[in-house]
Amino acid sequence: MLLAKIRGTLVSTQKVETLDGLTFFICEQLDIDGKPLGKYVVAADSVGAGVGEVVLYVTGSCGRYTDTTTNRPCDATIIAIVDMLDVDGKTVYNKTDDA
Amino acid sequence: MLLAKIRGTLVSTQKVETLDGLTFFICEQLDIDGKPLGKYVVAADSVGAGVGEVVLYVTGSCGRYTDTTTNRPCDATIIAIVDMLDVDGKTVYNKTDDA
Amino acid sequence: MLLAKIRGTLVSTQKVETLDGLTFFICEQLDIDGKPLGKYVVAADSVGAGVGEVVLYVTGSCGRYTDTTTNRPCDATIIAIVDMLDVDGKTVYNKTDDA
Amino acid sequence: MLLAKIRGTLVSTQKVETLDGLTFFICEQLDIDGKPLGKYVVAADSVGAGVGEVVLYVTGSCGRYTDTTTNRPCDATIIAIVDMLDVDGKTVYNKTDDA
Amino acid sequence: MLLAKIRGTLVSTQKVETLDGLTFFICEQLDIDGKPLGKYVVAADSVGAGVGEVVLYVTGSCGRYTDTTTNRPCDATIIAIVDMLDVDGKTVYNKTDDA
């Protein structure tokens, strides 16, 4: 799993039918210290996340292993909203501080 | 999922039989600001896309999870034509402007 | 499989339900001489590992092939705690020395 | 899918039994303008390709989705011989010219 | 599939149960001219390979498609010992010369 910040949204009307109803977020991958890595992925949401939030996402076939994305062509899916990251004994990210 | 612009087509007569009838597009990956990244992938079409369009594609096993590509050896498949991209609250791509 | 050192933990309350009960570690990939590579992944634990330990992890669909992670969206899973690494006939890592 | 030129062959007698009868080609990945990218992969053949030909190959689980490779451990498989590549309205590769 | 030279071994006692009995080798990826690429992977053995040998390995879900690794979390598996590599009509590697 990788860390990302949700930076925006993607809108599409002409798409594979099974994707109807899914939300697609533009996510920028983060390093563990919260620094943007300049790499982007479009991920389907499965947890009710929103723009600006720090999230955890899966890639590959695991992208289909949520109730929201079962058997759908989603190779990147947000599976958790991050509350806190501890690295080397220090809290490097706390959602409360982010608000 | 990743963003790409369809740059061209690939023609092949001697191929795996199950690929008959599929359209293969040469796609250049785009950054979220629409800048070409210089990376290419050949993707199967599942949405009726055309050369010049900005699309969303999946890779890996998810490439087989559309009606068009089921059980076919497609590790990259176009799943949506992009209408609009919003990043940091601004519209960075709008298909209407692109026409 | 890749080598990593567990550097920290991730806490999330709003997540895919099937992830309940899993421990997520922030892992830094190691080179074979134990040098940190500066690349990070968040991995689910399946062996009772702890912060500071050198571990082996799998990625992709294999991340779901442990008793702990079956059918869960885990694309990175810790599958072993490393006791010893021998490279070119020399022991380059020994867990006992690490204690 | 990615483009490659077949540069050579690999011979192995001590191998997984299910690989018996497969041909393994050393393939160099090509850019869309036909420029070698300096990246190599060993791919199983499923279309009767030969050294020197420009081909399309799949990676990952899709490598098993041909009649030749079903359930075999092939994570890279040649699925088509390329006849023609059109990019930005120009023919950048034509197998006929290559002969 | 990728080429590698087996550089060493990994020992682990605390691991996923289904991994019992597998041999894990530290493999360094090779270029087609036999030059080490400085990239490492830990791969499970399925062919009776040994340290120092040049081998072919698969990654991803294909790592589970050998008799030795079925349904085990192995995302990198050695599937063949390389006898000979021919590139551009020349033999660039011959196991006999290596002995």
Side-chain angles (χ1 to χ4, degrees):
Chain A
M1 285 74 80
L2 296 170
L3 297 167
K5 183 161 198 163
I6 302 181
R7 292 280 303 276
T9 55
L10 178 150
V11 177
S12 168
T13 45
Q14 193 172 338
K15 61 189 165 191
V16 169
E17 267 188 39
T18 57
L19 296 177
D20 278 352
L22 287 179
T23 302
F24 291 106
F25 285 125
I26 298 168
C27 299
E28 180 168 20
Q29 201 186 327
L30 299 181
D31 209 341
I32 46 165
D33 57 1
K35 197 179 56 184
L37 286 170
K39 293 180 192 169
Y40 300 89
V41 72
V42 178
D45 180 35
S46 75
V47 291
V51 174
E53 285 189 301
V54 173
V55 296
L56 191 68
Y57 69 97
V58 284
T59 59
S61 61
C62 287
R64 300 190 305 268
Y65 280 74
T66 74
D67 285 350
T68 317
T69 57
T70 308
N71 288 328
R72 294 176 169 189
C74 296
D75 65 2
T77 302
I78 295 167
I79 57 163
I81 297 172
V82 177
D83 290 328
M84 200 160 63
L85 293 173
D86 280 348
V87 176
D88 298 335
K90 292 179 190 162
T91 299
V92 293
Y93 172 78
N94 192 321
K95 189 178 158 69
T96 313
D97 304 337
D98 216 30
Chain B
M1 286 74 79
L2 296 170
L3 298 167
K5 184 163 198 162
I6 301 180
R7 292 280 304 275
T9 54
L10 178 150
V11 177
S12 167
T13 45
Q14 193 172 339
K15 61 189 164 189
V16 168
E17 267 187 40
T18 57
L19 297 178
D20 278 351
L22 287 179
T23 303
F24 291 106
F25 285 125
I26 297 167
C27 299
E28 180 170 19
Q29 201 186 327
L30 299 181
D31 209 340
I32 48 165
D33 57 1
K35 197 180 55 185
L37 285 169
K39 294 180 191 168
Y40 301 88
V41 71
V42 178
D45 180 35
S46 75
V47 292
V51 173
E53 285 190 301
V54 172
V55 296
L56 191 67
Y57 69 97
V58 284
T59 60
S61 61
C62 286
R64 299 191 306 269
Y65 280 74
T66 75
D67 284 351
T68 317
T69 57
T70 309
N71 288 327
R72 294 176 169 189
C74 295
D75 65 2
T77 302
I78 296 167
I79 58 162
I81 297 172
V82 177
D83 290 329
M84 200 160 63
L85 292 173
D86 280 348
V87 176
D88 297 337
K90 293 179 190 162
T91 299
V92 294
Y93 172 78
N94 191 320
K95 188 178 159 68
T96 313
D97 303 336
D98 216 29
Chain C
M1 285 73 81
L2 296 171
L3 298 167
K5 184 161 197 163
I6 302 180
R7 293 281 302 278
T9 54
L10 179 149
V11 177
S12 168
T13 46
Q14 193 172 339
K15 61 189 165 190
V16 168
E17 267 188 39
T18 56
L19 297 177
D20 279 351
L22 287 179
T23 303
F24 291 105
F25 284 125
I26 298 168
C27 299
E28 180 168 21
Q29 201 186 326
L30 299 180
D31 209 340
I32 48 167
D33 57 1
K35 196 179 57 184
L37 286 170
K39 294 180 192 168
Y40 300 88
V41 71
V42 177
D45 180 35
S46 75
V47 291
V51 173
E53 285 189 301
V54 172
V55 295
L56 191 68
Y57 70 97
V58 284
T59 59
S61 61
C62 287
R64 299 191 305 270
Y65 279 74
T66 75
D67 285 351
T68 317
T69 58
T70 309
N71 288 328
R72 294 176 169 189
C74 296
D75 66 2
T77 302
I78 296 167
I79 58 164
I81 296 172
V82 177
D83 291 328
M84 199 160 61
L85 292 172
D86 280 348
V87 176
D88 297 336
K90 292 179 190 164
T91 300
V92 294
Y93 172 77
N94 192 321
K95 189 178 158 70
T96 314
D97 303 337
D98 216 31
Chain D
M1 286 74 81
L2 296 170
L3 297 167
K5 183 162 199 162
I6 301 180
R7 292 279 304 277
T9 53
L10 178 150
V11 178
S12 168
T13 45
Q14 193 173 338
K15 60 188 165 190
V16 168
E17 267 188 40
T18 57
L19 297 177
D20 278 350
L22 287 180
T23 303
F24 292 105
F25 285 125
I26 298 167
C27 299
E28 180 169 21
Q29 201 186 326
L30 299 181
D31 209 339
I32 48 166
D33 57 2
K35 198 179 56 184
L37 286 169
K39 293 180 193 169
Y40 300 89
V41 71
V42 177
D45 181 33
S46 75
V47 291
V51 173
E53 285 189 301
V54 173
V55 296
L56 191 67
Y57 70 97
V58 285
T59 59
S61 61
C62 287
R64 300 191 304 268
Y65 279 74
T66 75
D67 284 351
T68 317
T69 57
T70 309
N71 289 328
R72 294 176 169 188
C74 296
D75 65 2
T77 302
I78 295 167
I79 57 163
I81 297 171
V82 177
D83 291 329
M84 199 160 64
L85 292 173
D86 280 348
V87 175
D88 297 337
K90 292 178 190 163
T91 300
V92 295
Y93 172 78
N94 192 320
K95 187 178 159 71
T96 313
D97 303 336
D98 216 31
Chain E
M1 285 74 82
L2 297 170
L3 298 167
K5 183 160 198 164
I6 302 180
R7 293 280 304 276
T9 54
L10 178 150
V11 177
S12 167
T13 45
Q14 194 172 338
K15 60 189 165 190
V16 168
E17 268 188 39
T18 57
L19 297 177
D20 278 351
L22 287 178
T23 303
F24 291 105
F25 285 125
I26 297 167
C27 299
E28 180 169 21
Q29 202 186 326
L30 299 181
D31 209 339
I32 48 167
D33 58 2
K35 197 179 56 184
L37 285 170
K39 293 181 193 169
Y40 300 89
V41 70
V42 178
D45 181 34
S46 74
V47 292
V51 174
E53 285 189 301
V54 172
V55 296
L56 191 67
Y57 70 96
V58 286
T59 58
S61 61
C62 287
R64 300 190 304 268
Y65 279 74
T66 76
D67 285 351
T68 316
T69 57
T70 309
N71 289 327
R72 294 176 170 189
C74 295
D75 65 2
T77 302
I78 295 167
I79 57 164
I81 296 171
V82 177
D83 290 329
M84 199 161 62
L85 293 173
D86 279 349
V87 176
D88 297 336
K90 292 179 190 162
T91 300
V92 294
Y93 172 78
N94 192 320
K95 187 177 160 71
T96 313
D97 303 336
D98 216 30

